[in-house]
Amino acid sequence: MMKSVITVTAFLVATAGATPPLSTLVPPKIQNILREIKAADKDLLSVSEEDGRFLRLMVVSSGATRALEIGGASGYSAIWIGLGLRQTGGRLTTIEYDAARAKELTANIKRAELADIVTVVSGDAFAELPKLAGEFDFVFLDAWKRDYKRFFDLVFPRLRTRGLFLAHNVVNKRSEMRDFLAAIQDNPAVMTTIVSPSSEGMSVTIKP
């Protein structure tokens, strides 16, 4: 009995001054922002909530710290990725082609209090990507589907070893990206799996 008391006491003393981990729960304020973005998404450009939660999980589980998103829309997925990066201490650069949506994206990131984590770039990703320095360890692609292969060829060489490259709509719009799917599924230099947190489907490719 005495040994148990000593053990518990030692644990309490050791942890008394420890910094508590960040909560994994989504704050009510951000839940409301996410719901508002989805409600206003008439063009159905945002990922599903299930896909958003999956993105966050992938960021945290991989320990990603330098993330890139191509096709930010109004910020729904960027908020989920940003929540993951809040856990890892990382940063995200998200690129959105449409100027009006990029403005909405910037505003939503600020409302979600993620402006210290997420940098919004407005413009053509093919023109903006070469301006970004360094490598990435997490990439999420959700742009024009017929451009997926071009984006993969442009970005994958800049992915760090063990980095993750995720792409959206690989199930429901696979007919629009057959060259991309061949590049990630038939390539002996990468490992890929396709999952379906929702009906759209997500590819997850790792650079060994």
Side-chain angles (χ1 to χ4, degrees), residues 87 135 164 192:
Q87 301 289 134
E135 298 179 320
L164 295 178
T192 296

Side-chain angles (χ1 to χ4, degrees), residues 79-157:
I79 289 174
W80 282 109
I81 295 171
L83 289 172
L85 293 169
R86 178 76 78 192
Q87 301 289 134
T88 66
R91 299 289 182 272
L92 166 69
T93 299
T94 177
I95 305 175
E96 170 53 41
Y97 177 82
D98 184 85
R101 283 198 296 267
K103 187 175 180 179
E104 293 177 8
L105 168 54
T106 301
N108 288 328
I109 291 299
K110 288 181 179 178
R111 292 172 61 208
E113 299 179 355
L114 290 168
D116 59 323
I117 292 175
V118 181
T119 299
V120 177
V121 176
S122 177
D124 185 339
F126 287 115
E128 298 299 330
L129 281 169
K131 301 176 185 178
L132 301 179
E135 298 179 320
F136 307 98
D137 54 15
F138 185 93
V139 176
F140 178 52
L141 176 59
D142 192 14
W144 183 249
K145 310 312 169 188
R146 299 190 187 281
D147 284 337
Y148 270 28
K149 176 61 163 56
R150 291 179 62 200
F151 279 124
F152 180 76
D153 291 341
L154 183 62
V155 175
F156 197 75

Side-chain angles (χ1 to χ4, degrees), residues 9-207:
T9 301
F11 173 79
L12 292 174
V13 170
T15 58
T19 302
L22 292 172
S23 174
T24 59
L25 300 178
V26 180
K29 176 182 177 180
I30 294 183
Q31 291 182 30
N32 290 334
I33 294 170
L34 290 169
R35 279 193 288 266
E36 290 171 8
I37 294 173
K38 290 294 285 186
D41 184 23
K42 305 305 180 185
D43 295 324
L44 303 178
L45 297 176
S46 299
V47 303
S48 67
E49 180 180 342
E50 294 85 354
D51 288 334
R53 292 183 180 279
F54 180 74
L55 288 169
R56 183 189 184 194
L57 182 67
M58 288 292 95
V59 168
V60 175
S61 62
S62 66
T65 57
R66 188 150 195 264
L68 169 70
E69 178 182 43
I70 304 172
S74 296
Y76 191 85
S77 51
I79 289 174
W80 282 109
I81 295 171
L83 289 172
L85 293 169
R86 178 76 78 192
Q87 301 289 134
T88 66
R91 299 289 182 272
L92 166 69
T93 299
T94 177
I95 305 175
E96 170 53 41
Y97 177 82
D98 184 85
R101 283 198 296 267
K103 187 175 180 179
E104 293 177 8
L105 168 54
T106 301
N108 288 328
I109 291 299
K110 288 181 179 178
R111 292 172 61 208
E113 299 179 355
L114 290 168
D116 59 323
I117 292 175
V118 181
T119 299
V120 177
V121 176
S122 177
D124 185 339
F126 287 115
E128 298 299 330
L129 281 169
K131 301 176 185 178
L132 301 179
E135 298 179 320
F136 307 98
D137 54 15
F138 185 93
V139 176
F140 178 52
L141 176 59
D142 192 14
W144 183 249
K145 310 312 169 188
R146 299 190 187 281
D147 284 337
Y148 270 28
K149 176 61 163 56
R150 291 179 62 200
F151 279 124
F152 180 76
D153 291 341
L154 183 62
V155 175
F156 197 75
R158 298 176 59 181
L159 193 67
R160 293 172 182 167
T161 300
R162 303 291 186 271
L164 295 178
F165 188 106
L166 285 78
H168 195 234
N169 299 116
V170 298
V171 172
N172 67 328
K173 296 187 178 181
R174 59 185 175 273
S175 63
E176 300 176 33
M177 56 179 83
R178 296 192 187 282
D179 54 347
F180 167 72
L181 292 174
I184 62 173
Q185 292 181 301
D186 302 333
N187 185 347
V190 304
M191 291 187 291
T192 296
T193 189
I194 291 178
V195 298
S196 294
S198 67
S199 60
E200 291 94 346
M202 191 99 68
S203 64
V204 182
T205 301
I206 188 171
K207 188 174 188 178

